Amino acid sequence: MIALEPREEWLINACSGELDEDDRRVPNSLAWAMWGIVDGHAGEYAAYVVKDILPDYVIEELFLQAGIDPRSPYRDFRTIFQNCSVDETVQAITHAFLRLDKDILELATQAITGSKPFHASMQDLALADSGCCALLAMWDTTSGYLHVANVGNSRAVLGRRNVRGTWEARPLSTDQTGCSEDEVARLRSEHPDEPDMIKDGRLLGSALTRAFGDLRWKLSAHLQSIAQTRFFGHPLLPFFLSPPYLTAEPQITTTKIDPRDNDFLILASDGFWDHISSDQAVQLVGRWLTKNDPATPPRQEAGMNTIIINEDDEEYETARKSEVQEGLIRDERYVQIPPPCEVKNREYTKVQRGDEKNWVVVDGNAATHLARNALGGADEDMLCALVGAPALYPMKRLR
């Protein structure tokens, strides 16, 4: 029997969200750490389940790979990586992703062909009918290896200083979409006689080439026809010949991390990367670190238990204006925000990416800092609109 419910209490819900929102989860362990991004589409059900269950599946597979009963009372979460080689760890993560997706689809298959009550069958079908991307990072603090597994178009980027001391972006994942040459080549080799399978960067209409759930791209035409007859299922996709087309097999990278290098890791869904490039994101965090480095405490505003000496001094004013221009601090006297009369008839839809001239460093949290600058930075007219705007179109029309 398949039971898609969390099975371990070691998970800490680090950031709960609403429907279709990205989420993060962090295990309560000192020997290793886990972070993730889950981005749902076509409904929230798959995203919620993957968020809650995927870490359990990964830990279980790591124990099995090491020859340890995952339900044994003597299992030790702190040593799971010590019992697995790098290759075995990669294999365990891969098995966990594929097994979870298989279980999701198996629930749908049982619902379609079985005799569950109508409402129960619809719930199981809704889970597999929706889909999600998943990006998982696991760091073994003992060996220093960082494993990043990706399914979909979320992205992991490592920030690391080069020999010149400047920050560089190192991609730890690739976007798995119909615009990826590698993904298109893989699909062409798997479905060689289907020239209409990918058009305009879309796989039978999907922008993604890997995802959890999304039964319309995975279940057989026979099963989908039964679902359509019994449970108001979708019509078959055009040019649907040889499923499955989507897969939940992750692409995994392994990187050696030395904490003394002060590297940082950025995990975000495609909504963030639509506004900021990988290089820009790393430079933004670099600027944030310049201001917030504990070794060089930043100058703070008055009223925060900090004494600022002689603000009227000309040298202070010159230095402060320079810091504002470099995006290290924010000062309303020097950051020009267009007044209402200047934003009249502004063509907002042409503003697609974060503008570097509007970058500011005003947040105490690096993730908030990244989000602010991706959505407008000092351009508060744009920032407030994007943060507070309702969804103008259904998600299906934007995919």
Side-chain angles (χ1 to χ4, degrees):
M1 179 177 179
I2 303 169
L4 295 181
E5 296 181 359
R7 296 184 300 278
E8 301 293 351
E9 296 180 354
W10 52 265
L11 276 177
I12 299 173
N13 191 357
C15 178
S16 61
E18 299 299 330
L19 305 186
D20 273 318
E21 286 190 356
D22 303 334
D23 209 342
R24 299 174 295 168
R25 298 183 73 85
V26 182
N28 185 17
S29 173
L30 298 177
W32 52 272
M34 179 188 296
W35 306 274
I37 295 288
V38 178
D39 185 8
H41 55 261
E44 73 275 11
Y45 306 105
Y48 277 148
V49 167
V50 171
K51 175 196 70 174
D52 287 335
I53 305 300
L54 181 58
D56 291 342
Y57 273 60
V58 171
I59 298 304
E60 185 174 287
E61 287 292 340
L62 285 168
F63 277 129
L64 292 173
Q65 191 70 245
I68 300 172
D69 182 356
R71 303 187 185 280
S72 168
Y74 304 105
R75 68 194 187 284
D76 188 349
F77 289 105
R78 296 170 298 177
T79 61
I80 55 173
F81 286 104
Q82 298 176 17
N83 297 307
C84 294
S85 66
V86 171
D87 290 341
E88 289 172 336
T89 299
V90 169
Q91 188 176 18
I93 296 173
T94 300
H95 285 170
F97 275 62
L98 291 174
R99 184 162 64 89
L100 174 54
D101 192 55
K102 180 181 178 181
D103 287 350
I104 291 173
L105 295 174
E106 182 60 27
L107 280 176
T109 300
Q110 292 176 3
I112 293 170
T113 60
S115 55
K116 285 185 177 181
F118 183 33
H119 73 279
S121 297
M122 290 294 286
Q123 288 179 344
D124 290 344
L125 282 171
L127 168 60
D129 186 58
S130 61
C132 71
C133 305
L135 178 65
L136 186 71
M138 298 188 71
W139 182 38
D140 175 13
T141 60
T142 303
S143 68
Y145 284 118
L146 173 68
H147 307 280
V148 174
N150 185 43
V151 166
N153 59 354
S154 296
R155 189 184 306 170
V157 176
L158 185 73
R160 174 173 288 179
R161 290 190 186 275
N162 58 27
V163 293
R164 298 184 301 276
T166 57
W167 291 106
E168 287 185 345
R170 300 194 177 191
L172 300 186
S173 67
T174 58
D175 300 348
Q176 298 156 1
T177 70
C179 295
S180 166
E181 294 182 0
D182 290 340
E183 287 294 278
V184 171
R186 175 181 66 82
L187 286 161
R188 295 291 187 201
S189 66
E190 294 175 357
H191 308 270
D193 301 320
E194 301 182 47
D196 297 316
M197 175 180 58
I198 300 177
K199 283 189 174 182
D200 300 323
R202 289 182 172 268
L203 172 60
L204 299 185
S206 170
L208 301 169
T209 55
R210 304 190 191 214
F212 283 93
D214 286 329
L215 63 80
R216 297 185 69 193
W217 286 263
K218 295 177 181 178
L219 293 188
S220 68
H222 174 66
L223 285 174
Q224 291 195 52
S225 66
I226 298 176
Q228 186 177 8
T229 300
R230 295 189 63 197
F231 302 108
F232 311 100
H234 302 284
L236 207 62
L237 293 166
F239 308 111
F240 188 88
L241 300 176
S242 59
Y245 293 95
L246 290 177
T247 178
E249 180 176 357
Q251 290 182 320
I252 301 176
T253 62
T254 300
T255 307
K256 187 77 170 181
I257 301 294
D258 187 340
R260 294 172 298 181
D261 292 336
N262 295 318
D263 296 341
F264 57 83
L265 179 64
I266 303 173
L267 304 175
S269 63
D270 62 317
F272 174 79
W273 300 114
D274 286 344
H275 292 272
I276 291 288
S277 70
S278 298
D279 288 332
Q280 286 177 322
V282 168
Q283 296 309 313
L284 276 167
V285 175
R287 292 191 183 191
W288 186 89
L289 290 171
T290 298
K291 179 184 177 184
N292 294 279
D293 185 351
T296 55
R299 193 199 319 269
Q300 297 184 13
E301 300 296 335
M304 298 179 65
N305 300 320
T306 299
I307 298 175
I308 298 178
I309 300 175
N310 194 9
E311 288 194 22
D312 294 329
D313 182 76
E314 183 177 348
E315 182 178 349
Y316 169 83
E317 289 295 314
T318 302
R320 187 170 183 80
K321 183 180 291 186
S322 175
E323 287 180 319
V324 172
Q325 292 171 346
E326 293 175 7
L328 300 180
I329 62 173
R330 180 185 179 83
D331 192 314
E332 296 293 342
R333 293 171 293 175
Y334 305 122
V335 177
Q336 299 299 317
I337 301 173
C341 61
E342 293 184 16
V343 300
K344 184 177 180 181
N345 299 324
R346 185 178 179 188
E347 296 178 334
Y348 294 100
T349 55
K350 291 185 177 180
V351 183
Q352 297 296 325
R353 302 187 71 85
D355 193 336
E356 295 187 23
K357 73 175 184 293
N358 289 323
W359 286 0
V360 291
V361 184
V362 296
D363 298 292
N365 178 278
T368 305
H369 162 72
L370 280 173
R372 175 189 296 275
N373 286 284
L375 298 178
D379 184 354
E380 293 191 356
D381 177 49
M382 176 65 73
L383 175 66
C384 293
L386 293 178
V387 170
L392 300 179
Y393 303 101
M395 182 60 70
K396 289 183 179 180
R397 292 185 59 182
L398 299 177
R399 292 283 178 182

